[in-house]
Amino acid sequence: MAVDKESIRRRALSLISGDGHRVAAHLADEFGLSRQVANGYLQSMVRDGLIDAEGTTRARVYQLRTLTEAARNYPCEGLQEDLVWRELIAPVVARLPENVRDIWHYAATEMINNAIDHSGSPEVQVKVRKNALDTEAIVADEGEGIFLKIQRALNLHDSREAILELAKGKLTTAPEKHSGEGIFFTSRALDFFEIESHHLRFSHAPRANDSIAELATDTPGTHVRMRLGNESPRLMREVFDAFSDPEEYTFDKTVVPLRLAQYEGEKLVSRSQAKRVAHRFERFKRVELDFAGIAEIGQAFADELFRVFAAAHPAIRIVPVNTEPAVAQMIRRVLAAGAAPNGPHS
């Protein structure tokens, strides 16, 4: 069987983006190559300037080489995000496929505009770098911080609740200027999206569960990090369509990762937790509750969402996804009890 050289190259880059160790051995095992041939592919990539190698043959470690990068601090006063795009980012991604450039155009300008309009920071720092596998961009400011600002605007008890609200979408602290869709769609268009602010980090990736991390160090302002594969087949239009009414072209569907509502050491058991989860659901026609990572839920939590809220909002469809057996059983239980005469009201 003929060896697909391009597939080997792409796999090598992916392996190197991990820890960069034993890359030749992995290639040899996966593609049925001799170790000598696998090493030959890697040496060719070194000569082409795509990767760097350090160490002896057996202990050799590979790294992706930065092919191009740019960075600049911009005063926010009077700044226009399309200027930053044309001047700093567009030249770095100019040779990438059109669909990838389109995603970067949307993501970069949305995040830069957020910093200009919302942060209150005197400056915004923008960095972009490209290697042979992917491109990464960072947009950072030294303002109040996105999670604290949302907490204050919505009168939330905890900054972590702000992350849950961000993940739902249609959230903005300046409705006269913004639709609240930018972060939601940007996070879903990229391979990796992360916001770090003060002691919290929110990350989203299509192949991993959304997560919140509590940081030991304080990150002033808001730092957004974005990454996308240079050969991604994703289309910005398809990202919009996945959450829109096909006839009305409106953003009417959301996916709520319930992991973000379950703080460390807690379980989802109470009605108050369910009410926080359901906050602003009335802005959507369909809400998918993603139970990935949730082993079980309490009866009151399930009853509040699937019976009480659903009965009060019949136009909103609540759909549980990625449910463990215990979670699915509890949902069935409250639905069955609610359908019976004199169902529970505890």
Side-chain angles (χ1 to χ4, degrees), residues 86-203:
R86 290 195 303 270
E87 178 181 272
L88 195 77
I89 302 173
V92 175
V93 301
R95 295 182 179 274
L96 299 182
E98 182 180 6
N99 66 302
V100 175
R101 297 198 309 271
D102 287 346
I103 291 174
W104 275 120
H105 192 182
Y106 178 86
T109 54
E110 284 287 337
M111 295 306 100
I112 295 166
N113 181 261
N114 277 352
I116 295 169
D117 285 354
H118 296 298
S119 71
S121 175
E123 287 188 334
V124 57
Q125 182 184 62
V126 183
K127 299 179 181 178
V128 59
R129 66 111 196 109
K130 181 179 71 175
N131 58 42
L133 181 66
D134 53 35
T135 300
E136 181 175 280
I138 295 173
V139 178
D141 66 66
E142 294 186 357
E144 177 182 10
I146 185 171
F147 305 142
L148 288 176
K149 184 161 188 173
I150 293 172
Q151 179 187 1
R152 178 172 53 80
L154 299 186
N155 195 28
L156 303 175
H157 175 71
D158 192 301
S159 294
R160 291 172 295 184
E161 294 178 36
I163 296 178
L164 177 62
E165 294 304 315
L166 269 181
K168 295 175 187 176
K170 287 193 177 182
L171 174 66
T172 178
T173 57
E176 71 282 359
K177 293 182 178 180
H178 294 268
S179 64
E181 300 179 4
I183 288 177
F184 183 90
F185 285 113
T186 294
S187 67
R188 282 153 178 80
L190 299 165
D191 291 336
F192 179 79
F193 178 84
E194 177 183 271
I195 304 177
E196 194 170 294
S197 183
H198 294 290
H199 291 282
L200 290 175
R201 177 192 295 135
F202 164 60
S203 61

Side-chain angles (χ1 to χ4, degrees), residues 10-319:
R10 286 198 299 268
R11 181 56 178 151
L13 293 172
S14 178
L15 289 168
I16 293 167
S17 72
D19 62 9
H21 292 80
R22 301 188 70 250
V23 177
H26 287 300
L27 290 176
D29 291 343
E30 291 184 26
F31 290 92
L33 307 172
S34 69
R35 189 72 61 88
Q36 183 178 9
V37 170
N39 275 315
Y41 278 106
L42 293 171
Q43 291 309 307
S44 175
M45 294 169 68
V46 171
R47 290 192 299 272
D48 291 341
L50 303 179
I51 61 176
D52 293 319
E54 295 181 359
T56 60
T57 301
R58 287 192 172 275
R60 185 163 294 166
V61 179
Y62 294 93
Q63 292 182 327
L64 298 175
R65 178 179 293 181
T66 297
L67 302 179
T68 182
E69 61 184 330
R72 183 174 168 183
N73 287 14
Y74 291 89
C76 285
E77 181 68 30
L79 182 63
Q80 297 179 346
E81 65 273 10
D82 61 329
L83 168 67
V84 183
W85 163 257
R86 290 195 303 270
E87 178 181 272
L88 195 77
I89 302 173
V92 175
V93 301
R95 295 182 179 274
L96 299 182
E98 182 180 6
N99 66 302
V100 175
R101 297 198 309 271
D102 287 346
I103 291 174
W104 275 120
H105 192 182
Y106 178 86
T109 54
E110 284 287 337
M111 295 306 100
I112 295 166
N113 181 261
N114 277 352
I116 295 169
D117 285 354
H118 296 298
S119 71
S121 175
E123 287 188 334
V124 57
Q125 182 184 62
V126 183
K127 299 179 181 178
V128 59
R129 66 111 196 109
K130 181 179 71 175
N131 58 42
L133 181 66
D134 53 35
T135 300
E136 181 175 280
I138 295 173
V139 178
D141 66 66
E142 294 186 357
E144 177 182 10
I146 185 171
F147 305 142
L148 288 176
K149 184 161 188 173
I150 293 172
Q151 179 187 1
R152 178 172 53 80
L154 299 186
N155 195 28
L156 303 175
H157 175 71
D158 192 301
S159 294
R160 291 172 295 184
E161 294 178 36
I163 296 178
L164 177 62
E165 294 304 315
L166 269 181
K168 295 175 187 176
K170 287 193 177 182
L171 174 66
T172 178
T173 57
E176 71 282 359
K177 293 182 178 180
H178 294 268
S179 64
E181 300 179 4
I183 288 177
F184 183 90
F185 285 113
T186 294
S187 67
R188 282 153 178 80
L190 299 165
D191 291 336
F192 179 79
F193 178 84
E194 177 183 271
I195 304 177
E196 194 170 294
S197 183
H198 294 290
H199 291 282
L200 290 175
R201 177 192 295 135
F202 164 60
S203 61
H204 174 89
R207 296 179 181 85
N209 293 325
D210 290 16
S211 65
I212 298 176
E214 295 193 35
L215 308 176
T217 57
D218 185 16
T219 302
T222 302
H223 289 219
V224 178
R225 185 159 69 95
M226 304 173 280
R227 187 172 64 245
L228 180 65
N230 295 335
E231 299 177 8
S232 172
R234 198 171 297 126
L235 298 174
M236 198 67 232
R237 183 189 71 252
E238 292 177 349
V239 177
F240 288 131
D241 288 349
F243 298 93
S244 303
D245 185 309
E247 296 182 358
E248 299 179 6
Y249 301 102
T250 56
F251 174 23
D252 69 347
K253 170 187 169 183
T254 190
V255 178
V256 180
L258 291 181
R259 284 170 58 96
L260 301 184
Q262 181 175 265
Y263 305 148
E264 186 175 357
E266 291 186 357
K267 292 183 179 180
L268 299 176
V269 298
S270 70
R271 292 190 183 275
S272 60
Q273 288 172 311
K275 289 175 182 177
R276 285 197 296 270
V277 167
H279 181 53
R280 298 190 310 109
F281 277 11
E282 66 276 3
R283 301 191 179 192
F284 303 93
K285 292 181 180 178
R286 177 185 172 97
V287 177
E288 291 188 2
L289 296 179
D290 187 352
F291 283 89
I294 305 296
E296 57 183 310
I297 56 176
Q299 184 273 340
F301 179 87
D303 187 65
E304 184 67 32
L305 281 174
F306 293 99
R307 187 184 66 83
V308 177
F309 180 88
H313 302 82
I316 302 173
R317 187 180 178 196
I318 308 294
V319 182

